Amino acid sequence: MPKVRTRDIIEKFSLELISGEEGIDRPITTSDISRPGIEMAGYFDYYPAERIQLLGKTELSFFKQLDEDARITRVEKLCTDITPAIIITREMEVPKELIEASERKSVPVLRSPLKTTRFSSRLTNFLEGKLAPTTAVHGVLVDVYGIGVLITGKSGVGKSETALELVKRGHRLVADDCVEIRKEDQDILIGSAPELIEHLLEIRGLGIINVMTLFGAGAVRSHKRITLVIDLELWDPNKQYDRLGLDEEKVNIMDTEITKITVPVRPGRNLAVIIEVAAMNFRLKRMGVNAALQFTNRLSDAIEDGDHEDV
Amino acid sequence: MVEKQVKVMLRTGLQARPAALFVQKANRFSSDIYLEKDGKKVNAKSIMGLMSLAVSNGAVVTLIVDGSDEQEAIKELTNYIQQEE
């Protein structure tokens, strides 16, 4: 199923539909936008037909100067079976040749009152967001002190229960059980909940609860950047857990490295507090204060001093 | 790892109750079980993920099972979603 259709940008930017209504369900497959100036001049060898075509003042005033034959053939070539839309900016008058050609090929011709460059950048932003690569992971996403913490772990380890405790402590739930992740830019991962299960939390024994109606609008968020992954696992006595916090483990999600902390679960360990502290400690590290590093430096100083005293 | 395309025959699709039952069955196996629909893949042991797919009657889903008891798991789960009641 296509992620964006021409219909969506008409709604989003309140564009005026001039002609070619049959084509408004065409898919938009790329966030690139084309300004077909060179094509207007007759050069169609590299015409990116699958992009949205934007016609501004320059293109249209040039088009007006052409003789009638050229006008007809060029708009004919401009309107292809895969062109999602041709958009006229600055509320300018649409050439009648374009209207005719677009009706024949069912390419939607739309109009916006905005200036071309401004509209182009807004459209690019919108399309990049919509067309960004996405994936879904099994886990719970909570905003803890402004840090997007993705809690992962096997089914039944207590992710949702921990999230509930965190919400009770004033943090915000983004998604339970299934987190949709969208990659923006090079290394920004934005997590959100699938629409159907937004604001819901499933607690064994209680069933499905609605966090927003129970705890209020302050207890939920629609999306949040993921910066920390906390993996809960049942305590394995044979495994070594990090005792110092000097090394940072990383996990790879959609080619992006995210810091990961493995927290063993055992009765009597308050996971919500541990996650709160992990989030605060992570913030502190990013501000340049690394408690573990400071301590080992002090320790090595003390050891060195001790060596000297011995001599 | 075994993979299988299955058509959902349950009359109501994976509505809340059938979904809960499905998850219960999936949790009896130690294998990792995923269910994919329209390119969206979720952990079949988690009810919320499963319900977020809104699987309807007649939809074709892919079951992906990986682990020591994958054969039994895929058989039982396929039987379950292919039954009409």
Side-chain angles (χ1 to χ4, degrees), chain B residues 23-39:
Chain B
V23 170
Q24 249 178 43
K25 284 184 190 296
N27 271 305
R28 277 197 232 127
F29 301 99
S30 65
S31 303
D32 289 325
I33 306 175
Y34 299 95
L35 195 136
E36 191 177 308
K37 185 196 155 209
D38 298 334

Side-chain angles (χ1 to χ4, degrees), chain A residues 206-225:
Chain A
L206 296 185
I208 297 167
I209 61 170
N210 187 324
V211 169
M212 187 165 88
T213 46
L214 272 175
F215 297 96
V220 290
R221 279 194 72 133
S222 63
H223 57 87
K224 175 75 193 164
R225 179 177 173 183

Side-chain angles (χ1 to χ4, degrees), chain B residues 4-69:
Chain B
K4 192 172 178 187
Q5 286 216 336
V6 189
K7 190 169 173 188
V8 181
M9 304 303 284
L10 293 165
R11 199 168 29 83
T12 55
L14 281 177
Q15 236 281 351
R17 280 176 206 283
L21 214 61
F22 181 90
V23 170
Q24 249 178 43
K25 284 184 190 296
N27 271 305
R28 277 197 232 127
F29 301 99
S30 65
S31 303
D32 289 325
I33 306 175
Y34 299 95
L35 195 136
E36 191 177 308
K37 185 196 155 209
D38 298 334
K40 261 180 78 177
K41 187 170 150 188
V42 300
N43 189 327
K45 291 187 180 180
S46 98
I47 184 153
M48 299 294 267
L50 195 65
M51 289 194 298
S52 76
L53 290 181
V55 179
S56 57
N57 169 294
V60 176
V61 297
T62 312
L63 268 172
I64 303 151
V65 188
D66 188 12
S68 54
D69 48 6

Side-chain angles (χ1 to χ4, degrees), chain A:
Chain A
M1 202 183 82
K3 290 174 178 169
V4 208
R5 292 172 184 278
T6 307
R7 183 190 290 278
D8 301 323
I9 60 163
I10 297 179
E11 273 165 30
K12 168 76 190 170
F13 296 100
S14 350
L15 301 174
E16 184 188 347
L17 181 66
I18 310 282
S19 62
E21 197 181 342
E22 277 173 39
I24 61 169
D25 279 320
R26 288 195 176 184
I28 300 171
T29 51
T30 166
S31 60
D32 295 338
I33 291 166
S34 151
R35 289 190 67 174
I38 202 96
E39 285 81 359
M40 286 275 184
Y43 185 68
F44 274 90
D45 285 10
Y46 294 100
Y47 174 50
E50 76 289 356
R51 299 185 191 174
I52 290 180
Q53 308 294 324
L54 216 55
L55 297 178
K57 204 174 181 179
T58 331
E59 289 84 8
L60 282 179
S61 52
F62 175 76
F63 185 74
K64 273 192 201 139
Q65 291 174 6
L66 298 169
D67 58 58
E68 208 185 330
D69 283 349
R71 287 210 294 258
I72 292 174
T73 53
R74 284 179 201 166
V75 288
E76 195 75 29
K77 279 186 174 171
L78 219 50
C79 298
T80 69
D81 293 337
I82 51 168
T83 310
I86 296 174
I87 304 176
I88 313 282
T89 52
R90 287 174 176 256
E91 202 97 73
M92 277 180 306
E93 202 188 317
V94 184
K96 68 174 193 310
E97 295 86 355
L98 179 60
I99 297 183
E100 282 165 15
S102 67
E103 286 290 7
R104 243 177 311 173
K105 294 278 185 71
S106 347
V107 177
V109 172
L110 315 169
R111 186 156 66 179
S112 159
L114 290 177
K115 284 186 185 168
T116 320
T117 330
R118 191 149 180 76
F119 180 73
S120 165
S121 64
R122 287 185 56 187
L123 188 59
T124 312
N125 277 344
F126 172 73
L127 290 177
E128 296 241 303
K130 285 278 182 195
L131 294 170
T134 57
T135 184
V137 299
H138 179 54
V140 181
L141 182 59
V142 191
D143 173 351
V144 182
Y145 298 122
I147 300 279
V149 180
L150 178 68
I151 307 170
T152 60
K154 285 230 182 293
S155 216
V157 79
K159 298 182 293 291
S160 301
E161 286 77 4
T162 308
L164 181 63
E165 168 98 36
L166 284 166
V167 166
K168 196 86 185 57
R169 287 167 160 270
H171 304 290
R172 292 163 171 184
L173 175 78
V174 184
D176 177 35
D177 239 15
C178 180
V179 184
E180 281 180 355
I181 302 178
R182 198 171 71 233
K183 186 176 175 180
E184 281 183 6
D185 248 6
Q186 278 301 311
D187 54 357
I188 296 179
L189 300 178
I190 308 285
S192 58
E195 218 178 302
L196 206 56
I197 58 166
E198 207 178 13
H199 307 155
L200 302 181
L201 203 57
E202 186 244 343
I203 303 289
R204 304 282 143 85
L206 296 185
I208 297 167
I209 61 170
N210 187 324
V211 169
M212 187 165 88
T213 46
L214 272 175
F215 297 96
V220 290
R221 279 194 72 133
S222 63
H223 57 87
K224 175 75 193 164
R225 179 177 173 183
I226 301 170
T227 32
L228 184 63
V229 173
I230 295 192
D231 189 39
L232 303 181
E233 63 170 46
L234 288 175
W235 195 300
D236 179 355
N238 300 317
K239 197 177 161 182
Q240 282 297 319
Y241 293 102
D242 195 357
R243 303 292 294 262
L244 300 171
L246 282 171
D247 306 312
E248 248 182 25
E249 219 183 318
K250 299 275 184 189
V251 61
N252 194 308
I253 304 175
M254 297 177 94
D255 295 324
T256 305
E257 299 265 285
I258 305 266
T259 305
K260 178 184 140 181
I261 301 174
T262 304
V263 176
V265 178
R266 200 159 66 166
R269 269 168 74 89
N270 187 333
L271 289 173
V273 175
I274 292 176
I275 289 176
E276 264 184 350
V277 172
M280 281 194 281
N281 202 36
F282 181 76
R283 282 192 73 181
L284 208 58
K285 270 189 191 171
R286 285 207 305 192
M287 289 173 188
V289 186
N290 188 331
L293 199 66
Q294 280 176 355
F295 169 72
T296 49
N297 288 343
R298 264 199 353 243
L299 181 63
S300 56
D301 284 350
I303 291 173
E304 251 172 55
D305 285 351
D307 284 347
H308 290 311
E309 274 166 30
D310 284 344
V311 178

